[in-house]
Amino acid sequence: MKNVWLTRALQRVEGEYLARMGLSLPLASIALVVAADLIAGRDHFLTPGIVVAPPLAAITVTWRKTLFIGVLGLFVQAALAPYDGITDIPDHDVFFGQAFAYALVTLFSVYIAWRRETGAKAFTAIASVAEAAQHALMRPPDPRVGTVRLAVRYVSAADAAQIGGDLYAVIDTPHGVRALIGDVRGKGLAAVQTSAVVLGAFREAAFDEGGLDTVARRVDTSVGRHVTTGDFITALFAQFDKPGSVELLHYGHVAPLRVTRDGAVETLDPAEPWVPLGLADLVPGGPTAWRVPMRPGDVLVLCTDGVIEARSPLDNTFYPLGERVGPLVAGAGRDLDAAVERVYEDLLRHAGGSLSDDVVLLLLSPQPEALPAHPQDPPLVGDPI
């Protein structure tokens, strides 16, 4: 949500600046033309240069103020006409033609200013609705959910929408803390609708089902039942239900990373990668959950492909998350918010300050308190399944 607040803050600053300083530019242009005309003398007719004032007003102030600038400019030209040797204004063809052209420019400038104001109001309305939709779909979690501390950074590449096809959820359930991160293939409204289906199904199944694999199957079933656009969703499920480890289930998503207290980074590749949600009918069987050690102070780093596929404008290389994340996250302790901001700022620097895809960065760190035991724990990596 920080990107939404930043956008709103910049809009307020811009609005206040235009309200206080917006008229200075067109007024300065009028004053400059008047001064030049007076300095040039009676045999130089420079007042037609005032025609630049209404267009300048159109891009800086409201349509009413633009109209005021236009009328003011016309009066200034009429006032300077005798100085420039135009004594019979109503019958002077040159002045009349100039005034007619100036009036057309003023009317067009007023229209442009009105359209700009209308567009700004529409953008504000869209941003407000999008912010409410983001709250409804991906409710910002608390810094601590159950016995897991977390921090998240969600950024949509569609600035006006503030939401996209990436999704996440972290829930405290009777079976432990369960997390989901996913990425919908596609963009726009269809991707948002698919995200709503996935998140709704996960929030229900996470409380009802005893095993992480059955949670994922219910989500996959809901996708097959309700998503008719042909979209599929890469996803990764995580469950903190046992001290010292985390259970993971892979559906074609970016592999998670584990960062230890001393900064060592390990990519947690699944032993048997699986197809994304929505494609289960194409292959027999199902994915196999696996369990990896997760000690207090370790951080589980989950992300969407918008992170690892962010390219540098200098050498066109992808963002090396595995190489950068260790020192940025190591020793974060209870201040995961600062850690996720460091990673995001480093990502932005690599990408040249802007991102072309939606991004979710989710950091999860179990705390030393006892976790409920799961009755059917998959073995740790390296143990027979």
Side-chain angles (χ1 to χ4, degrees), residues 141-150 170-173 177-178 364:
D142 294 328
R144 177 171 177 148
V145 175
T147 54
V148 176
R149 290 193 172 275
L150 62 98
V170 183
I171 306 174
D172 187 17
T173 75
V177 176
R178 287 172 165 172
L364 303 164

Side-chain angles (χ1 to χ4, degrees), residues 243-264:
S245 66
V246 60
E247 182 183 351
L248 301 171
L249 190 61
H250 176 265
Y251 276 83
H253 197 69
V254 179
L257 303 174
R258 179 180 59 192
V259 180
T260 63
R261 187 190 299 270
D262 59 1

Side-chain angles (χ1 to χ4, degrees), residues 25-26 28-30 33 47-58 69 102 105 109:
L25 189 59
S29 67
I30 293 176
V33 172
T47 53
I50 292 178
V51 74
V52 303
L56 289 175
I69 290 294
Y102 179 84
V105 172
S109 299

Side-chain angles (χ1 to χ4, degrees), residues 23-62:
L23 280 174
S24 62
L25 189 59
L27 288 176
S29 67
I30 293 176
L32 183 63
V33 172
V34 170
D37 188 76
L38 293 175
I39 294 173
R42 293 180 178 274
D43 56 343
H44 294 82
F45 187 45
L46 301 182
T47 53
I50 292 178
V51 74
V52 303
L56 289 175
I59 62 175
T60 57
V61 295
T62 65

Side-chain angles (χ1 to χ4, degrees), residues 10-23:
L10 291 176
Q11 288 175 341
R12 284 195 296 270
V13 171
E14 180 184 9
E16 291 175 2
Y17 171 79
L18 292 179
R20 296 176 182 178
M21 305 296 293
L23 280 174

